[in-house]
Amino acid sequence: MDYALDEAVKRLKDKKVIGIGSPRASLETNFALKKLVGFDNFSTGLNQHQQSLVETCIDILKTDGIHNASLKEIESHDAVLVLGEDITQTSSRVALAVRQSAKNKALKMAEALKTQDWLAEPVKRIGQNELSPVYVIDSVQTKLDDISKISCIATPEDIATLGFAVAKAIASVDASQDVQNLSVDAFKASEASNSEHGDGHDDDKNDTSDEHEGQDHEQSQMNQLAQQIAIDLLQANQPLVVSGTSLFHQPIIEASAQIVHALSDKRQAIQTAEQERVTAHNDRISRLQAEQASYQPQEDEDLSAKPKKQAGDEKQDDVRDPATGEQLEQRQVNEQYQSQASIYLCVPDANSIGVCLLGGKPLEELLAHDFEQVQTVIVAENQLTDAISVEKLANLLNDKKVIALDHQFLHWHEYVGLVLPSASFAEADGTLVSAEGRAQRFFQVYDPRYYHPNSDIVEGWRWLHALQTSIEGLPTAWTQLDDVINELIRTHPNLALIKDVAPTADFRITGLKVAREPRRYSGRTAMRAPLSVHEPMQPKDRDTSLTFSMEGYQGEKTPSSMIPFAWSAGWNSPQAWNKYQDHVGGHLKHGDPGIRLFDALEAEQRLPKKEYTAPSQTVMPKSSLFEGRAKLIPIYDMFAKSPMGSRSPVVESQLPEPAFYVSVDDAERWQLSGKDWLAISIDGLRIELPVKLVEHLAEGCIGYPVGQVPIIHPNMPTAVTKIDPPARLVEESLGDLTQAPNQIPTTGGLDSNSVQQTGA
């Protein structure tokens, strides 16, 4: 370790140094790098487009009148619009929450029949497979089709246009009418009224070409879909819009925010109008009741002889409308109808929000500014091929001295001068900020040196601080995690709340640290048996108030952010969580872990409401194999999109084969089959992959597998050509057809196995 530090200091001292952080690294590691190289010489590790998308999400979540839903809150919404995000592959936990939200209609039906929501079978029987409305608008077919009311596939530009059309439809609704009786016919009447007061453009309809008629038909269909979505979002008690950065199209994110603004404003007006209607209706009933009570007909002598009714035996007379004779009943305001709509914006990595809140330059800007004077580059836990092209990475490695700090050995690490081994999430402590803006602490699972005494693995921030103190000749100031956090919040007040995310290292319960291991933990000696059968003393955790053993406090007083496991006497492990919650399935007794940073903003810290407008209507060129032009869209796979996916043999075996995705309809127009190959040229790269035909894909688009090909900017000009399969594949195919006669099975000898092999 000392040798590595000395070598790193030689490369850094008296040199112009820049630092590249990472959206996957902790706030502490990113801050330590930022402090080492200087605030002006630090990059977030995101390229310009990626950082712009994440910063747009942050600005929206900081805007006044915006509520970003938590994962738990998503499950309680009864109408969801997923706009331009395949959450089943990019945010699978969000997809699960949306699936749960689709069950709310059945729960509402069961509630009307006095059936508890935890009675799963009766609720399912009452619901009769009825689902709350879920709309999925994406460029590919998703795995939410089975619960969606409508799934629509479109290009990113059309998705954004539809989003703004939904916002416009919501804004056009008359808040004074009963929203529960709202239908598409109301929009048609409004459109007819607008056309009657138009500016005379109808005279040009006879001159409209067939192409324009087709565009008008598509526009009409889009408007009808937008109106139906608007109706369901307005009628729901709690609507939610889910979007994100996966399609690399900023107008989609802005359209989502505009929908939420329009929803909240209109729902507030609807709520006010409903309150006025209910109050007026109930006041009228009270007046009619008073009139009936004051009306005293002449008493009949025969009726007066009947015995008097006891008090309380009289039933209130029905109140009827004097004009129609219709019976009138008291009405109540729907208390469950919330004026505030919710939004959830998905971002690419675990700490994308956190590193952008920390601040830094986009990667291209840092590499362009005085780059010739830069002598050394420090890269912290970043897979650079996710942010810059292979060509730019090669130039960086060839021209500069590069020091990599990572817990994985990446392919380009072979070409750097020095690689420092940093701790992974399981070997370190740190803070991340999730997509909902929740700052959370992760804790070390084990100490690497306990199982590998010669290990030099330490936290990334320790390496970086050791480098800084060695260069400046200062004593070590950061001896534990709390020291880093204190320095971070001193220079970044916007992140001051991360200090309260979890207790400090000196926290104790009845004088004890919190035990990481349960009382019945066993096998600890066996884990070190290859080294020695003599078990040494457990390592000390100086960064947190946790112990690396079963000795320590275990119980319900453990802070929510530090609960290592659930255990309670007489309860099985899953059921033991009931003892930690305020009620079954409720919140933890000491509050939910983490702090939602955007919820804690003061009124003066919030951004004013912004009116987003739809981009100008321009015809985007679509793919044309005959013209050699391609429009690319990203296709995500839950494991393939992760750079760590292929590092596990089990996961790697489940990864799809890399291919260019083409819809069946486009393949027919372009005369392609599933055996053909395409070559895509983009950003100086040429990528050759086989064609994979899919039933549904945005028209005129070619999908590329994210994480399996080095495409960074899918919106750049792209060329496509049809090519012959690689020679090796042709040879393998010919080899199957030219096998020796004695190896070819006869017709009489064929069985199911040989048929499958021959077909393969």
Side-chain angles (χ1 to χ4, degrees):
M1 184 172 181
D2 292 338
Y3 172 77
L5 276 175
D6 293 340
E7 288 298 315
V9 169
K10 291 178 184 177
R11 290 168 167 81
L12 297 176
K13 196 167 186 179
D14 300 326
K15 302 290 194 306
K16 172 69 174 179
V17 183
I18 61 174
I20 301 175
S22 171
R24 301 186 183 103
S26 67
L27 280 175
E28 290 80 4
T29 294
N30 278 299
F31 171 69
L33 178 58
K34 187 176 182 180
K35 192 170 186 296
L36 170 63
V37 300
F39 286 16
D40 293 334
N41 299 320
F42 173 77
S43 169
T44 59
L46 300 169
N47 61 43
Q48 179 72 52
H49 193 46
Q50 292 168 340
Q51 186 162 334
S52 175
L53 291 171
V54 176
E55 288 177 346
T56 299
C57 293
I58 292 174
D59 289 343
I60 290 172
L61 298 180
K62 292 169 66 175
T63 301
D64 189 29
I66 288 289
H67 172 68
N68 59 317
S70 67
L71 287 174
K72 182 65 175 177
E73 290 173 341
I74 290 176
E75 299 178 3
S76 64
H77 290 75
D78 55 347
V80 181
L81 169 61
V82 183
L83 196 67
E85 189 77 17
D86 184 4
I87 54 177
T88 61
Q89 304 303 318
T90 62
S91 303
S92 53
R93 181 62 183 85
V94 177
L96 176 60
V98 170
R99 283 191 173 276
Q100 293 297 103
S101 73
K103 301 177 182 179
N104 284 325
K105 185 171 183 179
L107 294 174
K108 189 175 181 180
M109 295 168 66
E111 182 183 6
L113 296 178
K114 311 296 184 184
T115 304
Q116 299 293 330
D117 57 3
W118 52 269
L119 294 169
E121 196 279 330
V123 169
K124 184 177 180 180
R125 189 171 63 251
I126 293 169
Q128 292 294 303
N129 297 323
E130 290 289 329
L131 298 172
S132 297
V134 176
Y135 291 90
V136 180
I137 317 296
D138 206 346
S139 295
V140 296
Q141 187 176 15
T142 74
K143 293 184 178 180
L144 290 180
D145 287 354
D146 57 324
I147 65 164
S148 62
K149 183 174 181 178
I150 291 179
S151 289
C152 179
I153 296 175
T155 63
E157 292 77 19
D158 288 341
I159 292 174
T161 302
L162 176 62
F164 282 106
V166 172
K168 183 178 179 181
I170 292 170
S172 67
V173 171
D174 182 6
S176 62
Q177 59 181 318
D178 187 359
V179 68
Q180 298 305 326
N181 296 326
L182 190 63
S183 66
V184 177
D185 295 335
F187 292 100
K188 293 180 180 178
S190 176
E191 291 173 358
S193 175
N194 292 336
S195 63
E196 289 178 3
H197 299 84
D199 51 10
H201 285 270
D202 292 342
D203 296 336
D204 299 331
K205 286 186 177 179
N206 295 330
D207 299 330
T208 304
S209 65
D210 293 339
E211 182 180 353
H212 289 170
E213 288 180 359
Q215 292 176 356
D216 291 342
H217 178 66
E218 291 180 0
Q219 185 65 40
S220 175
Q221 288 183 321
M222 179 180 290
N223 289 338
Q224 290 180 12
L225 176 58
Q227 291 160 5
Q228 184 58 57
I229 295 173
I231 289 171
D232 282 331
L233 292 177
L234 286 171
Q235 290 179 340
N237 289 331
Q238 288 182 267
L240 169 71
V241 180
V242 179
S243 189
T245 64
S246 65
L247 290 181
F248 304 102
H249 197 61
Q250 185 163 320
I252 292 178
I253 305 173
E254 295 175 348
S256 303
Q258 187 63 22
I259 293 172
V260 173
H261 282 310
L263 268 176
S264 298
D265 292 344
K266 188 61 64 175
R267 289 172 68 87
Q268 180 65 53
I270 289 172
Q271 203 172 40
T272 302
E274 182 190 14
Q275 180 67 57
E276 293 174 353
R277 282 196 307 271
V278 170
T279 301
H281 177 81
N282 293 342
D283 289 347
R284 186 186 178 206
I285 292 178
S286 298
R287 288 196 305 270
L288 292 175
Q289 287 175 340
E291 291 174 3
Q292 290 180 3
S294 63
Y295 175 66
Q296 297 293 339
Q298 187 175 357
E299 188 173 0
D300 191 312
E301 294 180 358
D302 294 334
L303 291 176
S304 63
K306 291 184 177 181
K308 301 284 186 181
K309 290 184 178 181
Q310 298 294 327
D313 291 344
E314 297 184 26
K315 184 179 179 181
Q316 180 179 340
D317 294 333
D318 293 338
V319 179
R320 296 185 177 275
D321 191 324
T324 63
E326 180 184 358
Q327 183 176 343
L328 301 177
E329 296 180 353
Q330 293 276 353
R331 295 178 184 172
Q332 290 183 341
V333 175
N334 183 4
E335 299 293 343
Q336 295 181 340
Y337 191 86
Q338 297 185 8
S339 61
Q340 178 66 60
S342 302
I343 191 171
Y344 190 96
L345 298 174
C346 304
V347 293
D349 295 298
N351 203 28
S352 295
I353 296 288
V355 74
C356 287
L357 288 175
L358 186 68
K361 296 178 179 179
L363 196 48
E364 300 98 329
E365 181 181 342
L366 183 69
L367 296 180
H369 182 66
D370 293 335
F371 188 63
E372 295 180 356
Q373 301 178 13
V374 173
Q375 297 167 286
T376 307
V377 181
I378 304 177
V379 183
E381 302 178 23
N382 194 317
Q383 173 57 289
L384 289 177
T385 53
D386 289 346
I388 58 175
S389 65
V390 176
E391 181 182 2
K392 291 180 180 178
L393 175 59
N395 293 336
L396 175 67
L397 296 175
N398 290 331
D399 298 342
K400 310 298 177 185
K401 294 180 180 178
V402 178
I403 299 175
L405 181 72
D406 215 316
H407 49 78
Q408 300 287 336
F409 190 78
L410 305 176
H411 67 279
W412 57 270
H413 286 170
E414 297 179 9
Y415 308 102
V416 305
L418 187 64
V419 179
L420 302 178
S422 66
S424 69
F425 71 94
E427 302 161 332
D429 310 291
T431 308
L432 303 173
V433 182
S434 70
E436 66 179 76
R438 187 187 297 272
Q440 291 179 283
R441 192 73 40 80
F442 62 90
F443 295 101
Q444 190 173 355
V445 178
Y446 66 96
D447 187 344
R449 294 190 178 187
Y450 183 75
Y451 302 102
H452 304 283
N454 296 325
S455 172
D456 289 326
I457 296 175
V458 295
E459 295 88 341
W461 59 265
R462 288 192 193 276
W463 275 113
L464 295 167
H465 182 64
L467 288 175
Q468 183 173 7
T469 54
S470 299
I471 293 171
E472 297 176 356
L474 299 174
T476 301
W478 297 350
T479 58
Q480 55 184 197
L481 185 68
D482 293 337
D483 298 331
V484 195
I485 294 175
N486 291 335
E487 181 67 15
L488 190 158
I489 64 177
R490 186 184 66 81
T491 54
H492 296 78
N494 61 322
L495 293 170
L497 290 177
I498 69 169
K499 182 176 178 62
D500 302 324
V501 165
T504 58
D506 57 0
F507 175 79
R508 300 291 185 273
I509 301 176
T510 62
L512 300 173
K513 281 191 168 188
V514 177
R516 277 183 169 91
E517 301 168 359
R519 294 279 189 258
R520 297 178 180 179
Y521 190 84
S522 61
R524 197 165 63 185
T525 304
M527 287 190 290
R528 288 191 85 259
L531 300 176
S532 173
V533 294
H534 302 287
E535 182 181 352
M537 182 178 68
Q538 289 295 304
K540 303 295 183 182
D541 189 350
R542 52 183 170 174
D543 291 322
T544 71
S545 54
L546 293 162
T547 67
F548 286 109
S549 68
M550 62 192 75
E551 295 82 13
Y553 177 81
Q554 298 182 12
E556 300 173 18
K557 294 181 181 179
T558 306
S560 301
S561 58
M562 299 183 65
I563 298 176
F565 54 85
W567 179 88
S568 185
W571 293 81
N572 292 322
S573 294
Q575 296 172 326
W577 282 110
N578 301 338
K579 308 296 287 184
Y580 290 79
Q581 297 169 332
D582 52 10
H583 63 275
V584 176
H587 298 277
L588 295 175
K589 292 179 179 178
H590 299 286
D592 296 331
I595 295 178
R596 286 166 54 93
L597 300 179
F598 301 123
D599 289 355
L601 292 175
E602 301 292 339
E604 60 273 9
Q605 295 176 304
R606 288 195 168 273
L607 300 177
K609 178 181 174 181
K610 182 178 179 180
E611 194 77 15
Y612 296 99
T613 57
S616 58
Q617 291 286 350
T618 57
V619 179
M620 300 298 296
K622 297 181 179 179
S623 297
S624 174
L625 189 61
F626 305 115
E627 298 179 10
R629 183 181 64 245
K631 177 176 176 55
L632 300 182
I633 57 172
I635 305 294
Y636 289 87
D637 179 84
M638 186 186 307
F639 300 110
K641 69 182 179 65
S642 169
M644 299 295 104
S646 60
R647 292 184 174 270
S648 166
V650 176
V651 175
E652 186 180 18
S653 65
Q654 303 301 314
L655 297 181
E657 290 294 328
F660 288 127
Y661 296 79
V662 179
S663 71
V664 173
D665 294 337
D666 285 336
E668 184 177 354
R669 284 194 295 269
W670 298 337
Q671 301 175 10
L672 286 175
S673 70
K675 297 180 180 180
D676 291 325
W677 279 62
L678 293 178
I680 298 288
S681 298
I682 181 174
D683 197 19
L685 290 175
R686 178 181 169 91
I687 303 168
E688 300 177 357
L689 288 176
V691 172
K692 183 174 183 179
L693 301 184
V694 293
E695 285 294 328
H696 302 289
L697 192 72
E699 181 183 359
C701 295
I702 297 176
Y704 69 92
V706 175
Q708 295 179 296
V709 294
I711 294 178
I712 308 300
H713 302 288
N715 298 326
M716 295 183 66
T718 307
V720 58
T721 54
K722 181 180 176 180
I723 61 173
D724 295 327
R728 59 178 179 81
L729 295 181
V730 176
E731 292 174 359
E732 291 175 3
S733 177
L734 292 175
D736 292 339
L737 297 176
T738 57
Q739 46 186 327
N742 59 354
Q743 293 177 328
I744 301 178
T746 62
T747 304
L750 285 175
D751 58 16
S752 60
N753 292 328
S754 61
V755 169
Q756 292 174 2
Q757 293 169 1
T758 305

